[in-house]
Amino acid sequence: MATYRLLYASIEGNTQSFINKLQAVAEEKGDMIDAKVVGDETDYEAEHQPFVAIVPTYLTGGTGTGPAVIEIFTNALADYIDFEDNATLIRGVVGSGNRNFNDQYILTAKRYAKKYQVPVIGDYELRGTSYDAEKIYQSITETLGE
């Protein structure tokens, strides 16, 4: 049995819903997802094992992808990853968003990947499907190893 560490932000419940799907897939495979939601009230802690970050996309300031477009709502997760040596343990990012926003789809995940120099290992729209959960779970297991 393997345990995979995830850190995530969930603003409107979409990411939490997807985490529940991932946990169900892990359970079916005899594994476990150790997921921690990070928000403004979260106490910072030093992480002790590699993790994947799962981030929704919430933006303000335009319709493009340039610097005028500002991340909102996921800043606490970035601050948590920046705490102590946590950034040395991030191995990948999964992004969620709405495909209707074209170039801005999973823009937050792309920015996290660039900032922390890790790959975007998966993406899903809104709450994601069971198929998305299967596919992304596979990516998480490959990224974090056993």
Side-chain angles (χ1 to χ4, degrees):
M1 177 170 127
T3 300
Y4 302 102
R5 179 73 164 161
L6 305 179
L7 300 180
Y8 69 100
S10 186
I11 311 311
E12 295 177 354
N14 288 345
T15 309
Q16 181 62 60
S17 174
F18 191 71
I19 293 295
N20 295 344
K21 288 178 178 86
L22 284 173
Q23 288 173 322
V25 171
E27 219 171 273
E28 288 174 10
K29 311 251 187 229
D31 294 331
M32 191 173 107
I33 296 286
D34 176 19
K36 177 177 183 149
V37 64
V38 177
D40 290 334
E41 277 86 47
T42 303
D43 290 331
Y44 294 168
E45 298 176 333
E47 289 294 312
H48 299 289
Q49 67 186 73
F51 62 88
V52 166
I54 301 184
V55 294
T57 301
Y58 290 96
L59 308 168
T60 187
T63 59
T65 59
V69 177
I70 298 169
E71 311 297 322
I72 54 176
F73 301 129
T74 66
N75 296 328
L77 179 57
D79 292 343
Y80 184 94
I81 293 170
D82 290 338
F83 180 71
E84 291 191 4
D85 293 327
N86 290 347
T88 65
L89 295 170
I90 186 171
R91 299 294 184 262
V93 182
V94 173
S96 70
N98 186 326
R99 292 185 194 279
N100 289 341
F101 294 112
N102 300 316
D103 288 342
Q104 290 185 338
Y105 176 70
I106 72 160
L107 182 57
T108 302
K110 292 175 184 175
R111 287 180 170 177
Y112 272 57
K114 183 177 180 181
K115 177 179 180 177
Y116 298 111
Q117 299 179 353
V118 296
V120 173
I121 64 166
D123 65 272
Y124 63 95
E125 189 171 23
L126 303 173
R127 290 181 174 253
T129 64
S130 296
Y131 174 75
D132 293 330
E134 288 275 349
K135 187 173 71 172
I136 290 171
Y137 178 75
Q138 184 64 37
S139 294
I140 290 168
T141 63
E142 291 168 3
T143 301
L144 294 178
E146 191 164 313

